[in-house]
Amino acid sequence: MRMVFYVVALGVLLSACAGHSLECETGTSVKDCAPGTAGHERLLQRQADTKTVDAMDDARCRAYAQPGTEAYRACRRRADADRQRYDPH
């Protein structure tokens, strides 16, 4: 079991020495991570999630009102406020 830990730790350290930060390799950071790192993959997933949520909010608010109307804008503001309140990030 200890051997597996050492092999994993060595792999992470070597990959960090390959020009990528340790945070990007482990996925704990998404800022300025190079493509192919766990951090970059996490950034891409967050961007896709944001687009999906935005499309869902848009569809829901369009069911209540036409885009450009005050009712539509109020619906989007409520959706944004709810998201900020309950967002785990």
Side-chain angles (χ1 to χ4, degrees), residues 31-69:
K31 186 177 181 189
D32 300 328
C33 292
T37 62
H40 187 259
E41 292 300 318
R42 192 170 175 196
L43 172 65
L44 294 177
Q45 185 62 51
R46 279 190 185 174
Q47 290 172 342
D49 292 349
T50 299
K51 287 173 103 176
T52 300
V53 167
D54 188 53
M56 291 168 50
D57 288 346
D58 180 59
R60 183 174 50 136
C61 291
R62 283 176 184 260
Y64 293 116
Q66 290 294 321
T69 64

Side-chain angles (χ1 to χ4, degrees), residues 5 17 72 77:
F5 171 76
C17 294
Y72 177 83
R77 282 192 300 268

Side-chain angles (χ1 to χ4, degrees), residues 69-81:
T69 64
E70 183 55 38
Y72 177 83
R73 287 190 292 273
C75 177
R76 292 303 298 257
R77 282 192 300 268
R78 279 191 307 274
D80 289 341

